[in-house]
Amino acid sequence: MRLQSKVLAVFLPVAAVFAALVAFVGRGATESIMVRELGRRLRPQVEDFADKIAPDLEARRESAILTRLQAAQAFTGAEFAEALDPSGVVLAHTNVLETGKLRTDAGAREALDSDRSVSVRERGPHGPVLVVSAPVWRPDEEFLLSGGPHRRLGTLRVALPLGATLDSARRVGAIVAAMAAGFCLVALALSLGLLRLVLLPVRSIAEATARVASGNYNARVPVDSGDELGELADSFNRMGETLSRTVVSRDSLEEALAIARAALDASADGVLVVGRGPRVVTHNQRFLEMWGIPDDLGATRDSRRLIAFVQPQVEDDGTFLAGVVREDADFEASERRDLLKLKDGRVFERISRPYRIAGEAVGRTLTFRDLTLHFEGVRALSQARDEAVETARAKAQFLANVSHELRTPLNAVIGSAELLRRERVEGETREHVETLARAAKALLELVDDVLDFSKLEAGRMTVERARLRPADLIADALSLVAPRAAGKGLKLRVDPGEAGYLELLGDPMRLRQILLNLLANAVKFTEKGEVAVAARPLSENPSSVELEFSVRDTGVGIPAEQAARLFSPFTQGDGSTTRRYGGTGLGLAISRSLLSLMGGEIGFDSEPGKGSRFWFRVRLDRAGAPAPSVEPAAAALESRPRDRLRVLAVEDNAINRRLLARQLERLGCPVVSVSDGREALARYRDEDFGLVLLDCQMPGLDGYATAAEIRRLEAGRRRVPIVAITANATEDDRRRCLDSGMDDFLSKPVTLERLAAALDRWDLPFDERALAAFAAVAADGPQALKALLAQFLSDADKRLEDARRALDAGDADACSRAAHALKGAAAAVGARGLRELCRSLEAAAQ
């Protein structure tokens, strides 16, 4: 009966609240429905009165309007009726005292703003009312026929009292509340009866549980049903049977505990078992030794004292505490691992796992593993790795510096040899020049190999993605080894195959470098016979092609014992002291690294005495459109005059400066050469130049700062191209040049062909920026600009004719004045080439 009393005590207030809530909601809902229905039924009558009052309202017949309002009030039983003009002023009211007032309340304004009839509940003089409003329109036959716009004369408002309606709604709410209360009482009576039936088997289970608690494991509960109560009774009976069959052997339990204790103490790791609270359940001797805990303190198993002893030894004492003192729910968490750093330098790994009794997690087992030696080894390895990385970086920097220092004198040697080869020298002198050129080229290849190797080791090598054709790569590489092969009497065989003329995307320079290295090795190690190069597709799909390039020779071959180290740097097949064939031993190592960057591979097959076949494979994407053919730089060496391009050459090395001036003169360019950045800026301020060749490494103001200052000086003026000339040949150096304001990049040594190609790239006849600036200031549109340019051309013809006549008459001053005038006009419109020619003519006349 106690449970039934509790149910009754809870249910009765709930039922009362429910009945009151139902009454309130029912009353509100009934009231809303009845008011809405009243407004719906009254609306047609109000709209009919609005139509009838329209003529009187338009004529402003106040007495007639009042008569109709009184009729409407009598017909509908309204509390009042009124007619408003469009602005809200009362034109007529059944309570005459309201006439002339302005309605500003929300209900009136809503009725005035609406084109339809509206119903609004308001508070009237004698209680709540429902105001039904209808617009009054002008009765216009023309509007009725055409459906066009019509005029609003005012608004009719009729207020019906809601007292009776609201009383009815309250009565309905009371009836609903009474019904809800009755329903709750019936439900309560049924629930109490059902609860009494349910409690009978529960009482039987409680009595049986008391007997089991007293030691009677044979107590049983009758199972009278198959529902949940029956399942509960059956489970209780099976539990009693299990308990009655269970016999615990004290000796076996003590033996198991002894084995567990021995295993715990034999562990090399410290073990601490904690329960809730935390409460120290147990620990092993190793745990005490690791933390230096005295035996007498460990025997107490006082968790607070143990934590207070251990916690100060950890660098972050909160870390240890968070791993031991946990909320009850956290005992269910899975295995966790963390590191504890001790103040004495030791490092412990803590492994925390839950332990369970009867399937329930009641605590955690904390295992402490000493990882100090492991971390010391890791630190030693890390330090050794850092030292190795620093050594590699220093080596790469050293190689880059050596390469830079070698390129500066090589620039003078190769440039001078190139100029000498173009002179008319014969006999022994010609042989010396050719020997000098070949030696310089071999030394440059050595420097390039060292630089490539340093970039690959430092991880700074990048590959490009440009259009290429395999046949072009083979032809370019063969053209470089053909003279040496011809000198040895070797035949060169080429088989580009069907893959030779595919349009692909890749790095043509690096692929040509790999192919050239294999061809050069084949020619070097072959004394007679032939060297054959081929390309073939291994696999294709719509987007890419896997190619195999191969180079076969009939040379000395490679012994098996030397094959394993063939691709190692600074290693050759012939490692003897005689070094018959020479070389750095970097070519194949660089080739393998480059192919690794491209996702390819390299290998070889060889038989000593019969020759070798080297191959490399790489997958390249197909190109979308045919690659345009590019004329070699050598073909453009003397293709056109360059006397209109006046060059400012800035080079601190006297030999290289003199050589650069000679090369520019050979190419037909007027040149002014200076030795440092400050002198270059002084000449740039006072003179006109079409191109600046700028060395990057100079004492004082270097090339980067000089380029930035030139860009600052020419703000608002035409932009003069700046081409960097530097012995630093890495991609980072190139990017640094472009970031400082330069436009192009030439690495030393600078050959005539490469210099000519750079001049042709930047020798533009028109300065588009200057022309755009001129158009923005001097012309209002395309037609105006066209007229100005036509006028400029006409004036240019006249100035040139004046200069010609002055020369014929021997009047140098007049010729100079005509050239000077035309030079300024040409600079204004961006005619760069004409401006330079006028400058030359003016200087010659002076």
Side-chain angles (χ1 to χ4, degrees):
M1 292 299 293
R2 288 175 295 175
L3 184 58
Q4 290 176 323
S5 300
K6 292 179 181 179
V7 171
L8 190 62
V10 172
F11 190 82
L12 283 177
V14 171
V17 172
F18 176 74
L21 182 62
V22 169
F24 178 77
V25 173
R27 174 188 169 183
T30 304
E31 183 178 307
S32 176
I33 292 172
M34 294 177 72
V35 170
R36 187 166 58 249
E37 180 62 21
L38 180 61
R40 186 184 66 81
R41 294 188 177 185
L42 186 61
R43 189 176 295 118
Q45 300 174 13
V46 176
E47 290 175 350
D48 183 55
F49 277 108
D51 292 338
K52 293 178 180 179
I53 203 174
D56 297 327
L57 196 60
E58 183 178 16
R60 296 297 180 109
R61 292 191 288 267
E62 295 182 1
S63 59
I65 295 173
L66 181 58
T67 301
R68 290 189 181 277
L69 290 178
Q70 291 172 346
Q73 180 179 8
F75 181 78
T76 59
E79 186 171 312
F80 68 86
E82 63 181 357
L84 310 178
D85 69 1
S87 64
V89 175
V90 179
L91 297 176
H93 196 286
T94 53
N95 183 2
V96 181
L97 296 178
E98 297 291 328
T99 303
K101 291 185 178 180
L102 176 65
R103 294 297 189 210
T104 59
D105 56 281
R109 301 314 306 178
E110 180 181 357
L112 291 170
D113 293 338
S114 176
D115 290 341
R116 299 179 180 178
S117 301
V118 295
S119 299
V120 180
R121 183 175 174 178
E122 296 182 0
R123 168 64 61 178
H126 305 293
V129 294
L130 177 66
V131 180
V132 180
S133 303
V136 180
W137 303 102
R138 177 183 178 184
D140 192 339
E141 294 182 358
E142 182 179 347
F143 158 70
L144 295 175
L145 294 176
S146 64
H150 56 294
R151 185 163 60 90
R152 183 169 182 171
L153 300 175
T155 303
L156 174 63
R157 302 181 75 223
V158 178
L160 276 75
L162 291 178
T165 302
L166 298 182
D167 290 340
S168 299
R170 281 192 288 271
R171 287 193 295 273
V172 172
I175 294 172
V176 172
M179 293 177 62
F183 173 77
C184 291
L185 291 175
V186 172
L188 176 61
L190 294 176
S191 299
L192 291 176
L194 181 62
L195 182 61
R196 184 175 183 180
L197 293 176
V198 170
L199 289 178
L200 290 177
V202 172
R203 189 175 293 109
S204 300
I205 295 174
E207 293 172 355
T209 303
R211 292 197 297 273
V212 169
S214 63
N216 181 11
Y217 296 139
N218 294 319
R220 296 292 182 269
V221 178
V223 180
D224 298 329
S225 64
D227 55 10
E228 288 80 357
L229 290 174
E231 294 176 358
L232 178 62
D234 183 62
S235 299
F236 179 86
N237 294 336
R238 286 187 278 108
M239 179 189 69
E241 293 175 359
T242 303
L243 289 175
S244 64
R245 293 195 302 267
T246 301
V247 177
V248 179
S249 172
R250 184 173 181 177
D251 293 339
S252 299
L253 181 59
E254 290 180 352
E255 180 182 2
L257 289 175
I259 294 173
R261 169 52 60 183
L264 199 63
D265 290 335
S267 173
D269 300 328
V271 179
L272 172 67
V273 182
V274 296
R276 302 180 188 276
R279 177 178 57 87
V280 175
V281 178
T282 187
H283 54 72
N284 65 352
Q285 187 63 30
R286 176 59 179 156
F287 171 76
L288 302 179
E289 295 171 356
M290 291 178 67
W291 293 98
I293 301 174
D295 291 341
D296 56 345
L297 176 58
T300 64
R301 296 187 180 179
D302 188 330
S303 60
R304 288 187 295 273
R305 293 179 62 191
L306 283 175
I307 292 174
F309 187 89
V310 169
Q311 193 173 354
Q313 302 181 42
V314 184
E315 287 185 359
D316 183 2
D317 53 5
T319 304
F320 180 83
L321 192 63
V324 176
V325 180
R326 297 182 178 274
E327 299 294 334
D328 290 350
D330 199 42
F331 281 111
E332 292 287 349
S334 59
E335 177 182 292
R336 292 179 177 176
R337 294 173 179 258
D338 58 354
L339 293 178
L340 300 176
K341 295 182 179 180
L342 276 64
K343 294 179 180 179
D344 60 5
R346 291 181 296 166
V347 179
F348 292 168
E349 180 187 26
R350 177 172 57 190
I351 305 171
S352 175
R353 300 185 181 93
Y355 77 88
R356 293 176 169 80
I357 296 178
E360 179 186 1
V362 296
R364 296 191 75 83
T365 301
L366 306 174
T367 303
F368 297 89
R369 185 167 297 165
D370 193 342
L371 297 181
T372 306
L373 294 178
H374 168 73
F375 276 93
E376 288 178 353
V378 170
R379 279 195 294 270
L381 288 175
S382 178
Q383 183 177 357
R385 179 186 60 80
D386 293 341
E387 292 175 354
V389 170
E390 179 61 24
T391 301
R393 189 201 63 78
K395 181 175 68 173
Q397 185 62 42
F398 171 75
L399 292 175
N401 291 339
V402 169
S403 172
H404 175 270
E405 296 301 325
L406 289 176
R407 280 178 179 273
T408 299
L410 265 179
N411 183 61
V413 173
I414 292 178
S416 299
E418 190 175 45
L419 290 175
L420 285 173
R421 291 176 70 184
R422 295 181 182 277
E423 299 292 337
R424 295 180 178 179
V425 293
E426 304 294 341
E428 187 175 352
T429 303
R430 167 63 65 180
E431 293 180 4
H432 292 330
V433 171
E434 294 294 338
T435 300
L436 176 63
R438 286 195 299 270
K441 183 177 180 181
L443 187 55
L444 178 61
E445 291 175 354
L446 172 61
V447 172
D448 286 339
D449 281 349
V450 171
L451 183 60
D452 282 347
F453 180 71
S454 67
K455 286 193 291 186
L456 286 166
E457 276 207 332
R460 298 168 62 186
M461 178 68 76
T462 58
V463 294
E464 297 181 355
R465 181 179 171 86
R467 293 178 179 274
L468 60 88
R469 287 185 295 188
D472 295 339
L473 299 179
I474 294 173
D476 291 346
L478 282 175
S479 67
L480 297 176
V481 300
R484 185 172 181 183
K488 298 179 72 171
L490 300 177
K491 294 181 180 179
L492 293 178
R493 297 185 180 274
V494 183
D495 180 18
E498 61 181 12
Y501 300 96
L502 292 173
E503 300 290 343
L504 304 172
L505 294 175
D507 192 330
M509 184 181 74
R510 296 304 177 187
L511 290 172
R512 188 186 302 110
Q513 179 182 355
I514 298 168
L515 193 58
L516 178 60
N517 179 68
L518 297 184
L519 283 169
N521 283 345
V523 172
K524 181 196 298 186
F525 294 104
T526 303
E527 298 300 329
K528 60 180 180 179
E530 66 179 20
V531 173
V533 57
R536 65 188 182 96
L538 296 180
S539 63
E540 299 184 50
N541 59 47
S543 61
S544 64
V545 179
E546 184 181 11
L547 288 179
E548 180 188 81
F549 293 88
S550 63
V551 176
R552 180 180 53 80
D553 63 61
T554 56
V556 296
I558 302 170
E561 63 274 10
Q562 297 173 358
R565 64 175 187 270
L566 195 61
F567 290 98
S568 300
F570 304 105
T571 303
Q572 287 189 334
D574 179 12
S576 65
T577 56
T578 59
R579 295 288 308 278
R580 175 183 177 186
Y581 296 104
T584 63
L586 288 174
L588 290 177
I590 292 174
S591 298
R592 183 176 66 174
S593 298
L594 290 174
L595 283 166
S596 178
L597 285 176
M598 300 178 193
E601 59 178 338
I602 188 171
F604 71 94
D605 306 305
S606 181
E607 185 176 349
K610 294 186 178 181
S612 305
R613 176 182 176 270
F614 279 81
W615 52 264
F616 66 91
R617 298 163 184 158
V618 63
R619 179 169 288 279
L620 302 174
D621 292 338
R622 296 181 185 270
S629 59
V630 179
E631 294 292 334
L637 184 58
E638 298 178 358
S639 61
R640 58 189 177 90
R642 302 180 179 86
D643 55 348
R644 69 184 181 190
L645 186 66
R646 190 162 182 260
V647 180
L648 174 62
V650 189
E651 167 65 68
D652 65 312
N653 185 279
I655 297 175
N656 284 335
R657 185 169 65 254
R658 187 161 52 251
L659 173 64
L660 184 58
R662 289 288 306 276
Q663 288 176 316
L664 289 168
E665 292 170 358
R666 182 63 179 266
L667 294 173
C669 289
V671 59
V672 174
S673 59
V674 296
S675 60
D676 58 46
R678 301 193 183 279
E679 186 179 358
L681 291 176
R683 297 297 293 266
Y684 182 82
R685 291 188 187 96
D686 299 334
E687 303 177 36
D688 289 331
F689 295 99
L691 181 70
V692 178
L693 295 177
L694 186 58
D695 185 27
C696 293
Q697 301 293 336
M698 295 187 296
L701 195 67
D702 63 14
Y704 308 110
T706 303
E709 183 63 18
I710 288 176
R711 293 298 179 231
R712 189 189 67 80
L713 290 174
E714 67 185 11
R717 300 164 46 193
R718 66 182 180 87
R719 179 186 177 94
V720 176
I722 302 177
V723 177
I725 296 181
T726 176
N728 295 328
T730 67
E731 183 63 26
D732 289 343
D733 297 320
R734 180 185 185 92
R735 191 177 304 280
R736 184 182 178 190
C737 290
L738 299 180
D739 291 342
S740 67
M742 304 184 195
D743 301 287
D744 205 348
F745 179 96
L746 287 177
S747 61
K748 295 178 181 179
V750 179
T751 63
L752 278 174
E753 287 83 358
R754 295 172 60 207
L755 184 57
L759 294 176
D760 291 343
R761 281 196 299 273
W762 298 106
D763 182 15
L764 304 177
F766 289 99
D767 187 337
E768 294 183 3
R769 294 191 182 187
L771 182 59
F774 173 80
V777 174
D780 297 333
Q783 294 302 321
L785 179 61
K786 181 177 180 181
L788 288 174
L789 292 179
Q791 183 179 352
F792 163 74
L793 293 175
S794 176
D795 183 67
D797 288 339
K798 182 178 180 302
R799 298 289 183 182
L800 291 174
E801 184 60 30
D802 292 344
R804 185 179 294 109
R805 283 198 300 268
L807 285 177
D808 293 341
D811 189 350
D813 290 339
C815 178
S816 177
R817 287 194 300 272
H820 180 79
L822 182 55
K823 181 183 70 172
V829 300
R832 177 185 291 153
L834 180 59
R835 185 208 69 229
E836 185 60 30
L837 291 176
C838 290
R839 189 203 60 77
S840 300
L841 179 59
E842 181 185 11
Q846 291 174 351

